[in-house]
């Protein structure tokens, strides 16, 4: 009798210990993720194409490469579906594990099918028509900051993410319709006040800094600086971290306890009935 009871308890504990709550979000997202090769290539290639061909020409424009950390931050912010700058952007270590200054460009549109990296970046880059390099000024009432960030000489890392927003993108004129948001983050940050985005000069790469520089398509490319780095890091404000509700939290708390109980119970049963696990 006691043996049966113990056996029952044992099974109950094992069952509890192995129940796995589904904490993965089942959100539908038709867009490429931040590890998608084509997506990464589109983002990097279009940025560099525009950086190579600035007018007037640049002599210190750095080659831009992908950064996983920036892409992780861009994704976390895009998940908010809110058309405003990341509210943590100025807080060191909350938007990147290494870089202390991070810049940002955002595009939003609807329906989601209107998104492509090219289309979003077109809107940013065409601000050049309202921008004067000579006076480092933007036409009154216009925006030029997206353009100047794209061609900011010292911003040599970029990471972007695109997110579907089934309930609309906040702070847009289409916030009640299914839309999409595209975020790019940059390091070092551009758009430092009173500074020109790059140094003008006819001789491309003539002001590249560092001994390892190679001139690549008029851009300063340093293989060491441009190395790909991997970060096992998530910003603490990523909304997907908060999707575990009270019930899910309870199960998460019970699991290690149940596992411990399993061992204690098995040990106890074995001590009380040494032969229980042997069937002769
Ligand atoms: C700059 O980027 C846009 C994409 O948004 C592209 O259409 C354009 O061709 C690029 N400019 C150059 C010179 O590559």
């Amino acid at each position: 009798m006691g043996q049966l009871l113990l056996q029952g308890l044992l099974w109950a504990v094992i069952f509890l210990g192995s129940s796995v709550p589904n904490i993965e979000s089942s959100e539908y997202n038709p867009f490429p993720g931040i590890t998608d090769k084509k997506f990464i290539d589109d983002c990097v290639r279009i940025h560099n194409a525009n950086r190579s061909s600035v007018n007037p020409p640049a002599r210190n424009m750095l080659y831009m490469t992908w950064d996983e950390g920036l892409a992780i931050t861009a994704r976390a912010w895009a998940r908010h579906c809110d058309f405003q700058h990341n509210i943590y952007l100025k807080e060191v270590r909350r938007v990147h594990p290494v870089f202390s200054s991070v810049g940002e460009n955002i595009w939003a549109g609807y329906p989601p099918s209107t998104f492509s990296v090219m289309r979003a970046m077109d809107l940013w880059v065409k601000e050049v028509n309202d921008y004067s390099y000579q006076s480092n000024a933007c036409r009154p009432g216009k925006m030029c900051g997206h353009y100047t960030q794209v061609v900011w000489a010292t911003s040599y890392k970029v990471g972007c993410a695109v997110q579907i927003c089934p309930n609309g993108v906040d702070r847009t004129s289409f916030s009640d319709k299914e839309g999409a948001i595209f975020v790019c983050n940059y390091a070092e940050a551009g758009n430092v006040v009173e500074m020109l985005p790059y140094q003008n000069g006819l001789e491309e790469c003539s002001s590249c800094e560092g001994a390892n520089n190679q001139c690549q398509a008029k851009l300063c490319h340093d293989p060491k600086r441009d190395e790909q780095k991997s970060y096992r890091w998530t910003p603490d404000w990523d909304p997907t971290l908060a999707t575990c509700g009270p019930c899910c939290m309870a199960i998460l708390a019970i699991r290690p306890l149940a596992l411990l109980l399993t061992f204690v119970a098995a040990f106890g049963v074995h001590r009380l009935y040494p032969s229980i696990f042997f069937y002769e």
Side-chain angles (χ1 to χ4, degrees):
M1 186 60 204
Q3 197 167 332
L4 246 154
L5 198 77
L6 266 170
Q7 232 174 353
L9 184 74
L10 197 63
W11 281 115
V13 163
I14 288 171
F15 175 76
L16 253 175
S18 63
S19 71
V20 179
N22 179 21
I23 54 168
E24 293 279 302
S25 91
S26 51
E27 231 174 277
Y28 161 73
N29 195 340
F31 292 125
I34 57 171
T35 55
D36 184 280
K37 270 187 77 93
K38 183 180 182 298
F39 177 70
I40 293 175
D41 182 64
D42 282 351
C43 293
V44 171
R45 181 174 36 81
I46 298 171
H47 275 89
N48 279 329
N50 278 276
R51 292 166 72 80
S52 297
S53 56
V54 286
N55 182 27
R59 57 182 160 89
N60 70 326
M61 186 73 77
L62 300 189
Y63 182 71
M64 200 174 247
T65 53
W66 189 255
D67 182 81
E68 187 190 271
L70 291 171
I72 290 170
T73 275
R75 180 179 63 186
W77 186 250
R79 283 171 171 160
H80 287 77
C81 289
D82 188 356
F83 192 51
Q84 66 161 334
H85 282 298
N86 187 330
I87 57 172
Y88 309 102
L89 205 58
K90 297 282 184 283
E91 294 179 33
V92 177
R93 299 288 166 266
R94 294 196 77 191
V95 286
H96 199 280
V98 176
F99 290 112
S100 53
S101 88
V102 173
E104 185 174 70
N105 277 346
I106 305 185
W107 170 95
Y110 90 98
S113 59
T114 56
F115 171 77
S116 75
V117 178
M118 185 73 96
R119 277 211 194 127
M121 286 200 58
D122 259 334
L123 273 180
W124 296 343
V125 168
K126 78 176 188 195
E127 291 174 357
V128 68
N129 299 322
D130 296 315
Y131 175 73
S132 157
Y133 180 90
Q134 277 66 35
S135 55
N136 191 21
C138 198
R139 220 184 286 275
K142 298 286 185 179
M143 264 208 281
C144 301
H146 298 98
Y147 167 70
T148 51
Q149 174 60 82
V150 169
V151 301
W152 199 269
T154 53
S155 298
Y156 66 98
K157 283 289 181 187
V158 65
C160 310
V162 57
Q163 168 75 36
I164 186 140
C165 301
N167 302 318
V169 182
D170 286 350
R171 280 174 249 260
T172 62
S173 57
F174 45 91
S175 57
D176 57 339
K177 303 187 179 69
E178 183 178 60
I181 189 164
F182 174 61
V183 178
C184 286
N185 283 113
Y186 303 86
E188 307 287 323
N191 292 343
V192 181
V193 284
E194 310 270 291
M195 257 183 88
L196 278 163
Y198 58 88
Q199 291 163 25
N200 166 227
L202 281 179
E203 213 181 316
E204 63 218 33
C205 294
S206 57
S207 297
C208 294
E209 276 165 29
N212 301 321
N213 264 295
Q214 304 160 0
C215 197
Q216 185 168 322
K218 306 185 188 175
L219 303 171
C220 307
H221 170 46
D222 177 335
K224 186 92 190 85
R225 180 187 60 219
D226 296 340
E227 251 173 20
Q228 291 302 302
K229 294 194 176 66
S230 190
Y231 305 98
R232 307 191 82 217
W233 172 82
T234 310
D236 57 1
W237 45 267
D238 187 325
T240 59
L241 293 180
T243 54
C244 192
C247 180
C248 151
M249 282 299 201
I251 293 172
L252 278 185
I254 286 168
R255 271 166 76 190
L257 204 70
L259 197 68
L260 189 74
L261 267 173
T262 307
F263 283 108
V264 171
F267 182 74
V269 168
H270 191 64
R271 282 293 292 269
L272 279 172
Y273 309 98
S275 62
I276 196 171
F277 294 125
F278 300 101
Y279 300 94
E280 286 163 72

